Amino acid sequence: MYTIKNYCMVSSLEEAYELKKKNRNNTIIGGNLWLKMGSRNIMNAIDLSLLGLDQIEEDEEGFRIGCMVNLRQLEMDKGLNNTFCGIFSEAMGHIVGVQFRNCATVGGSIFPRFGFSDVLTAFLACDSYVELYHGGTVPLKEFTDMAPDQDILTHIYVRKDQRRVAYQSFRITETDFPVLTCAVARQEEAFSVVIGARPACARLVEGVSLSDPKSSDCRKAFAREVISRLEYGSNMRGSAGYRRELSEILIGRCLDRITEDELC
Ligand SMILES: Cc1cc2nc3c(=O)[nH]c(=O)nc-3n(C[C@H](O)[C@H](O)[C@H](O)COP(=O)(O)OP(=O)(O)OC[C@H]3O[C@@H](n4cnc5c(N)ncnc54)[C@H](O)[C@@H]3O)c2cc1C
């Protein structure tokens, strides 16, 4: 069971940051869905709800998403999903259920860098940046390699760059954690792939050439080269070998979507 001694509704990010860095037992609280499953003794739970960080703002360059935006907002946002081929609808839509997604936040999903994260996989497939209160703007692909610290994630920024993206995940049963997550992005003739739930944190693989996206031999060779660049592990949901096999299938399905779906 977890415990919280004080619940603090802060009135600025500075107040939240100063409080968080004072003591390791002071923690930001997002939707409290993950935290409440643990057994931490929290001294001060820091709630950012009053800071207006629950908005998705679009400008000409991209989308700025506040850390208190919930997963259902990502799933339903028309601008975001029209721009990125529905990837956020597809990635969020399998996470537990609507009531859950109405509460789980972007900050609570990205900052902990969960291995199983559909959310991280989808954002990594786009040109995404995290905005940290103290650490400034960091590309998401670099953020995934950084160790969690006392900073606060305030926003995530997704740049519009005309890429086409597709998302697939595989679960043993609907609403369970994924066995594997996969996203493929295409910018003109360059393809990149994100594989998550390996079971380690999602990784972006760039620079593998796919000479003929319509040829099944080229696609197989592409998928195998991507897989060879990643480390896979085993857990109760599947072995490393099973995940490698699944990766080839999911990469193939994503390639089907981004090469054949003219609407996207
Ligand atoms: C039963 C269950 C099933 C799940 N299944 C899936 C799944 O299939 N796919 C998937 O992708 N995810 C899944 N998740 C994870 C879920 O989607 C959320 O990512 C998770 O609940 C955390 O979000 P939250 O808002 O509840 O964060 P909280 O539980 O409130 O916080 C989580 C952590 O993030 C920190 N934090 C929160 N906000 C910030 C911030 N702005 N800056 C810095 N640190 C912050 C907190 O201090 C805490 O350490 C599941 C979670 C649960 C509990």
Side-chain angles (χ1 to χ4, degrees):
M1 191 184 73
Y2 84 126
T3 57
I4 294 179
K5 196 151 189 218
N6 303 308
Y7 199 90
C8 312
M9 302 292 294
V10 290
S11 51
S12 69
L13 279 168
E14 179 64 17
E15 185 187 346
Y17 179 67
E18 287 304 322
L19 193 55
K20 188 179 181 195
K21 97 179 169 186
K22 239 185 223 167
N23 185 324
R24 292 219 154 259
N25 294 326
N26 294 347
T27 191
I28 303 291
I29 195 152
N32 193 27
L33 295 162
W34 189 259
L35 272 177
K36 75 176 180 192
M37 309 276 286
S39 54
R40 285 182 64 181
N41 294 320
I42 298 168
M43 176 70 77
N44 291 296
I46 306 162
D47 189 326
L48 309 176
S49 299
L50 300 180
L51 307 185
L53 296 167
D54 58 351
Q55 301 296 315
I56 299 176
E57 296 158 311
E58 181 178 2
D59 61 26
E60 275 181 19
E61 308 284 312
F63 294 85
R64 191 160 183 250
I65 300 163
C67 64
M68 294 301 285
V69 164
N70 64 52
L71 304 187
R72 181 71 173 165
Q73 284 172 270
L74 292 182
E75 181 185 352
M76 301 305 287
D77 192 90
K78 285 203 171 72
L80 195 58
N81 282 294
N82 287 342
T83 306
F84 294 104
C85 312
I87 189 175
F88 293 98
S89 283
E90 177 58 35
M92 305 307 133
H94 300 280
I95 301 176
V96 190
V98 172
Q99 287 154 318
F100 182 96
R101 301 197 291 277
N102 271 326
C103 299
T105 62
V106 170
S109 300
I110 299 287
F111 194 83
R113 287 150 267 203
F114 296 124
F116 55 74
S117 183
D118 292 282
V119 186
L120 206 46
T121 305
F123 276 110
L124 270 172
C126 307
D127 189 14
S128 305
Y129 301 79
V130 294
E131 296 179 20
L132 302 168
Y133 181 70
H134 183 66
T137 303
V138 180
L140 183 60
K141 61 184 174 185
E142 289 174 23
F143 178 74
T144 54
D145 287 331
M146 290 161 53
D149 59 12
Q150 291 301 90
D151 216 332
I152 298 173
L153 189 153
T154 64
H155 295 87
I156 181 154
Y157 190 80
V158 196
R159 219 167 56 80
K160 293 177 190 168
D161 59 2
Q162 308 291 322
R163 73 179 57 199
R164 296 176 68 170
V165 279
Y167 188 87
Q168 288 279 313
S169 63
F170 182 80
R171 287 167 160 79
I172 295 169
T173 55
E174 185 68 29
T175 78
D176 191 7
F177 290 101
V179 181
L180 198 83
T181 61
C182 173
V184 176
R186 178 181 194 172
Q187 272 183 293
E188 296 177 4
E189 295 319 309
F191 290 81
S192 53
V193 178
V194 184
I195 302 282
R198 297 171 294 122
C201 186
R203 276 272 167 281
L204 173 66
V205 179
E206 295 172 294
V208 178
S209 79
L210 176 53
S211 47
D212 180 2
K214 299 270 178 213
S215 143
S216 67
D217 285 348
C218 288
R219 290 157 65 123
K220 258 192 190 144
F222 171 80
R224 286 183 183 163
E225 178 58 28
V226 168
I227 293 161
S228 74
R229 296 189 186 188
L230 291 166
E231 278 177 21
Y232 289 82
S234 305
N235 66 3
M236 62 185 285
R237 287 189 175 74
S239 66
Y242 180 55
R243 287 188 160 93
R244 282 193 194 91
E245 296 284 333
L246 269 181
S247 296
E248 194 173 324
I249 310 277
L250 298 192
I251 292 170
R253 287 182 189 167
C254 286
L255 285 172
D256 282 345
R257 268 204 67 101
I258 48 178
T259 54
E260 288 166 11
D261 182 356
E262 295 305 329
L263 292 173
C264 174

